[in-house]
Amino acid sequence: MDPDVVVATPGSAATAPPPPPKATALSLEAPWRNPEPWWLRGGVRPYLVLADVVAFVVATAITQPTSPIHGVVLLVNITVFYIAGLYRSRLNLSLLDDLPYLVAASFVGFAFKLAMISLLPHVDPPPRQVLHAAVLLAAVLVVRRIAYSVVRRARCRGFVRHRTLIVGAGHVGIRLADTLLERRTYGLDPVGFIDDDPPADDTPLLPAPVLGAYRDLGRVIREQSIRDVIVAFGSAQEDELVDILRTCDRLDVEVFLVPRLFELHNANRYTDEIWGIPLVRVRRAVFRSPWWTAKRVADVAVAGLAFLCLSPIMAAVALAVRYEGGPGIIFRQQRVGIDGRPFDVLKFRSLKPVDDTESQTNWNIKHDDRLGPVGRFIRATSLDELPQLWNIIRGDMSLVGPRPERPHFVEQFSSHIPRYTARHRVPAGLTGWAQAHGLRGDTSIEDRARFDNYYIENWSPWLDMKIVVKTVGQVVRRQGG
């Protein structure tokens, strides 16, 4: 899907796209985990799950159901509660806010058990099921009310406090810091500000010190063991803040944004709030999600199975490449992967480069006259990419992710393409969101970077499946590079 080399011959269409205006290259922060106690790292989520389990046990002890599927109901209820957002981390824990969703989720669990009457024998009769559902809901409300009170007391008494950094020492940032110092129920301790140009007149009156400029964000987070970052209004432009915050994706912090024109912002149940100021919690970086581990497991399983099943095809391609071009079936080329680390990508050779310089610094060989029938075919069908299954197995790449580029072009694009380096926050992929939209070969690098960063910000297992399906369609239509 990517070129082996580029040969810029006269009149050839295989020329690198002209660079856009100069941009600032990013330097991604190395992974870092906050050294806070283990019992605080999960937030309130594990304790809310435990509270609901306790409520279920209490309701079971009171009603003593005899249904053989009774234990399944607990898993159903927890799953429904999770989907309803009842286990999300929050600054404000309010039973009244949760009440409509607790009632609705409990009704879904009750409906599931009721549906089992027609499928399984010896299920409790409807009257007992109604009794158990009512007692369970009451127990959940009581236990959650106690849990919320315990969390608020723990915050106020200093047992649960999160060191907080405020980005922007303007009016809104100062107001937030003052509120957090006065109202300890939020559990946030403002330890300082980050701002390039804090207001000089107000500096002596700041409730916390200015710890550095925007470019120092990663350093300050590490040195001060910051757990939460609140982005308030400051002197930085929004585009600059996007780059700054993305460089810290690998740091174990929660990020909140104060919406622009927040006085007009419509709050919803997923919006946090600090004394009348809404906060939007930024989605956790994809590689901090439990699903990311599952992605790696799936990568190894699928790539290993594909390697075995496609080995006859790979052997045939290897023989054809050897017959057409002589020795040197596998082509190795250095590419840039996660965190900017280089690795050798493996491909079936479609054309022998003159030397390493040609391999690393030229753009595209799609229209090169030196390509033979075998080389053209394996490139059009993307068969030349099959050895990268081994790159996936050994951990250099993933099945889906931003396509890796050569160091020479990474250096060029990083200085001209906005947010190009941000692509390196996740492992490179055999195919990606940009390639699924036909962005390969001589297409816009800026568009590719935008699609790749969109993929990282919005990753989900279903998005990976969509990309794989779209890629298979392109391979069948022979739309390879």
Side-chain angles (χ1 to χ4, degrees):
M1 299 178 188
D2 280 347
D4 295 345
V5 298
V6 171
V7 179
T9 56
S12 170
T15 56
K22 186 174 180 61
T24 302
L26 301 182
S27 177
L28 298 178
E29 295 283 347
W32 172 80
R33 189 177 184 89
N34 197 300
E36 64 183 357
W38 62 269
W39 49 276
L40 289 179
R41 290 177 183 170
V44 299
R45 178 175 296 161
Y47 301 105
L48 293 181
V49 174
L50 179 61
D52 289 340
V53 171
V54 171
F56 188 86
V57 171
V58 170
T60 300
I62 294 175
T63 60
Q64 298 182 350
T66 61
S67 170
I69 64 164
H70 180 68
V72 179
V73 177
L74 172 61
L75 298 178
V76 172
N77 280 8
I78 290 178
T79 301
V80 175
F81 281 13
Y82 175 81
I83 295 173
L86 293 170
Y87 295 128
R88 71 189 190 281
S89 295
R90 286 163 284 173
L91 299 179
N92 296 284
L93 295 170
S94 170
L95 189 63
L96 289 177
D97 290 342
D98 289 347
L99 183 59
Y101 303 96
L102 286 169
V103 172
S106 298
F107 178 80
V108 171
F110 168 71
F112 169 81
K113 191 174 180 183
L114 196 63
M116 293 298 101
I117 292 179
S118 59
L119 300 178
L120 296 174
H122 310 300
V123 175
D124 295 327
R128 174 168 284 192
Q129 292 190 41
V130 172
L131 174 63
H132 179 261
V135 173
L136 176 58
L137 177 59
V140 167
L141 294 177
V142 171
V143 174
R144 281 212 170 212
R145 178 68 180 85
I146 296 173
Y148 290 176
S149 297
V150 170
V151 171
R152 281 193 290 267
R153 287 180 179 272
R155 289 174 175 176
C156 290
R157 295 185 179 183
F159 297 115
V160 179
R161 307 296 299 173
H162 292 170
R163 294 174 63 82
T164 303
L165 183 67
I166 299 178
V167 178
H171 172 72
V172 176
I174 295 173
R175 178 176 163 188
L176 283 169
D178 286 333
T179 301
L180 294 176
L181 291 172
E182 294 172 3
R183 304 185 179 278
R184 296 175 59 83
T185 56
Y186 295 107
L188 304 182
D189 281 333
V191 299
F193 295 91
I194 285 288
D195 203 320
D196 281 346
D197 186 24
D201 294 338
D202 294 341
T203 300
L205 302 178
L206 288 177
V210 177
L211 301 176
Y214 292 114
R215 65 179 179 275
D216 301 319
L217 179 60
R219 174 186 61 80
V220 173
I221 288 175
R222 294 172 185 272
E223 291 179 354
Q224 299 292 329
S225 297
I226 299 299
R227 168 62 188 270
D228 294 282
V229 175
I230 300 178
V231 182
F233 301 125
S235 58
Q237 298 294 323
E238 290 183 359
D239 285 349
E240 183 182 1
L241 278 176
V242 169
D243 290 340
I244 293 169
L245 293 173
R246 276 181 173 171
T247 63
C248 298
D249 265 0
R250 307 300 296 276
L251 304 180
D252 188 18
V253 294
E254 296 292 333
V255 179
F256 299 87
L257 302 177
V258 178
R260 292 289 186 181
L261 303 177
F262 67 85
E263 294 89 348
L264 303 178
H265 184 78
N266 291 323
N268 55 54
R269 62 187 307 263
Y270 291 101
T271 303
D272 282 292
E273 173 262 336
I274 293 180
W275 207 241
I277 299 179
L279 298 180
V280 177
R281 187 186 295 261
V282 177
R283 183 191 184 203
R284 293 173 66 91
V286 295
F287 28 76
R288 292 168 56 198
S289 164
W291 285 105
W292 197 252
T293 302
K295 174 181 170 71
R296 175 58 188 156
V297 173
D299 281 344
V300 174
V302 174
L305 181 62
F307 198 89
L308 292 176
C309 294
L310 297 176
S311 55
I313 296 177
M314 295 174 68
V317 173
L319 289 174
V321 170
R322 176 68 173 80
Y323 175 78
E324 181 177 79
I329 296 170
I330 297 297
F331 179 84
R332 297 174 182 270
Q333 190 176 66
Q334 192 175 77
R335 300 290 178 100
V336 177
I338 186 170
D339 294 331
R341 296 195 298 264
F343 70 97
D344 286 336
V345 72
L346 306 178
K347 305 176 72 173
F348 283 124
R349 189 200 65 223
S350 54
L351 177 67
K352 277 188 176 181
V354 174
D355 52 30
D356 288 341
T357 300
E358 181 186 22
S359 172
Q360 292 295 332
T361 62
N362 291 333
W363 181 243
N364 194 292
I365 64 171
K366 183 176 183 179
H367 302 285
D368 195 289
D369 294 335
R370 294 176 296 172
L371 271 175
V374 173
R376 292 186 186 279
F377 177 76
I378 64 174
R379 288 180 58 80
T381 56
S382 298
L383 291 174
D384 61 328
E385 309 284 353
L386 290 180
Q388 289 171 42
L389 292 171
W390 182 248
N391 283 116
I392 296 172
I393 293 172
R394 70 185 188 184
D396 296 330
M397 298 174 58
S398 174
L399 283 171
V400 180
R403 284 296 294 163
E405 192 48 81
R406 286 157 285 178
H408 172 77
F409 290 107
V410 168
E411 183 178 355
Q412 287 190 354
F413 297 153
S414 297
S415 62
H416 291 92
I417 304 298
R419 304 183 179 95
Y420 182 83
T421 312
R423 302 167 66 252
H424 300 145
R425 291 174 289 163
V426 298
L430 183 63
T431 184
W433 189 232
Q435 285 66 39
H437 285 80
L439 293 172
R440 63 184 74 222
D442 296 325
T443 55
S444 169
I445 305 301
E446 187 171 359
D447 286 348
R448 295 192 208 183
R450 183 167 58 251
F451 272 81
D452 288 337
N453 283 313
Y454 174 90
Y455 165 80
I456 297 172
E457 299 294 346
N458 298 276
W459 177 83
S460 68
W462 177 241
L463 181 58
D464 273 3
M465 294 178 64
K466 284 170 55 178
I467 293 172
V468 170
V469 171
K470 290 171 74 70
T471 300
V472 170
Q474 291 185 349
V475 170
V476 171
R477 295 191 298 272
R478 296 179 62 174
Q479 294 179 338

